[in-house]
Amino acid sequence: MENPVLLFPQLNISASKDKSYYKVMKSTVKEEPHKASKPGAKQKRNRLSLLLQKSEFHEGDHLGKPGNLTKAASVSPEEAVKWGESFDKLLSEKAGLDAFTKFLKTEFSEENIEFWIACEDYKKSKTAHELLPKAKTIYETFIQKDAPKEVNLDFQTKEVTSQNIEQPIITTFDAAQNTVYRLMEQDSYPRFLRSDPYLNLVKGRNPNRPTLRRRSRSFTVNDFQGVRPDFTVW
């Protein structure tokens, strides 16, 4: 049999080693989550900033929701009704043009109205010196093949416009603008007048305002607990 005096010191030594090892591991475990929490908090802050940037960037720019038409301006029902008289009446008013532009964005066809607006601005040029840079910008943006916002033009109209682009005059884009105008008038404009956002404007409704509803409540056994019956009615 081994000497107990020699045995216990060995146990004490191993126990002390275990305790010291446990302390080291315990401190390591505490430090690791602490270190890991820092980048986690940083990532959360980065994500939050990105979300804020996205919301600021998309506000008023990517208005895919039809209800956003009422945010463009304070439009009275009487004014909205006048937009239905003619397509020219709609485009002649700033609020109408803005509402129609946002409607086209919901259909991903806003390049048509943007081209029409660019042509209107082009015709306001006061000198021939202003025509050439504006004409090239419009041509490269909306007309040339694979343009970033290429509009739908027939071959003849596109060919005539392309030939006149080197020496532009005030009427260079008239044929193309008229083609796009008729396309919007016959196709997009009727859908705009049938859309829910426009009809809400005519009726003076705000689709962004939530409708309050009362929840129906059924009585349960718990509702009658603690209530004493009145036998006087018998």
Side-chain angles (χ1 to χ4, degrees), residues 186-215:
Q186 298 173 6
D187 186 43
S188 302
Y189 177 57
R191 286 200 303 274
F192 171 76
L193 297 180
R194 293 193 302 265
S195 65
D196 289 338
Y198 172 73
L199 295 177
N200 286 330
L201 289 178
V202 172
K203 297 175 183 178
R205 297 176 181 175
N206 185 356
N208 295 318
R209 183 178 300 171
T211 304
L212 296 178
R213 295 180 179 179
R214 292 184 178 181
R215 293 183 58 188

Side-chain angles (χ1 to χ4, degrees), residues 18-36:
D18 292 340
K19 289 181 180 180
S20 61
Y21 176 78
Y22 173 75
K23 290 181 180 179
V24 173
M25 290 299 295
K26 188 176 181 181
S27 61
T28 305
V29 171
K30 287 183 177 180
E31 290 177 0
E32 287 180 355
H34 179 67
K35 291 180 180 179

Side-chain angles (χ1 to χ4, degrees), residues 100-130:
F100 184 66
T101 300
K102 288 171 180 170
F103 171 76
L104 291 184
K105 287 183 178 181
T106 67
E107 296 192 336
F108 304 99
S109 59
E110 65 271 18
E111 69 276 358
N112 292 324
I113 193 64
E114 289 178 2
F115 171 70
W116 184 86
I117 294 173
C119 292
E120 288 293 296
D121 178 72
Y122 173 82
K123 290 187 292 187
K124 295 177 182 178
S125 302
K126 297 180 180 180
T127 63
H129 182 71
E130 298 178 5

Side-chain angles (χ1 to χ4, degrees), residues 57-156:
F57 176 77
H58 287 288
E59 184 178 0
D61 217 3
H62 297 276
L63 301 174
K65 296 182 179 181
N68 286 325
L69 293 181
T70 56
K71 293 183 179 180
S74 178
V75 180
S76 65
E78 293 78 14
E79 184 179 2
V81 169
K82 292 181 181 179
W83 298 350
E85 295 176 359
S86 67
F87 187 48
D88 185 65
K89 180 67 175 178
L90 173 68
L91 299 185
S92 64
E93 298 186 9
K94 184 179 182 303
L97 177 61
D98 185 54
F100 184 66
T101 300
K102 288 171 180 170
F103 171 76
L104 291 184
K105 287 183 178 181
T106 67
E107 296 192 336
F108 304 99
S109 59
E110 65 271 18
E111 69 276 358
N112 292 324
I113 193 64
E114 289 178 2
F115 171 70
W116 184 86
I117 294 173
C119 292
E120 288 293 296
D121 178 72
Y122 173 82
K123 290 187 292 187
K124 295 177 182 178
S125 302
K126 297 180 180 180
T127 63
H129 182 71
E130 298 178 5
L131 294 180
L132 183 58
K134 285 185 178 181
K136 286 187 175 181
T137 300
I138 293 174
Y139 179 77
E140 294 173 357
T141 304
F142 299 101
I143 296 179
Q144 74 176 7
K145 184 179 180 181
D146 297 328
K149 297 183 178 181
E150 185 177 3
V151 293
N152 187 14
L153 298 174
D154 59 274
F155 176 79
Q156 183 178 358

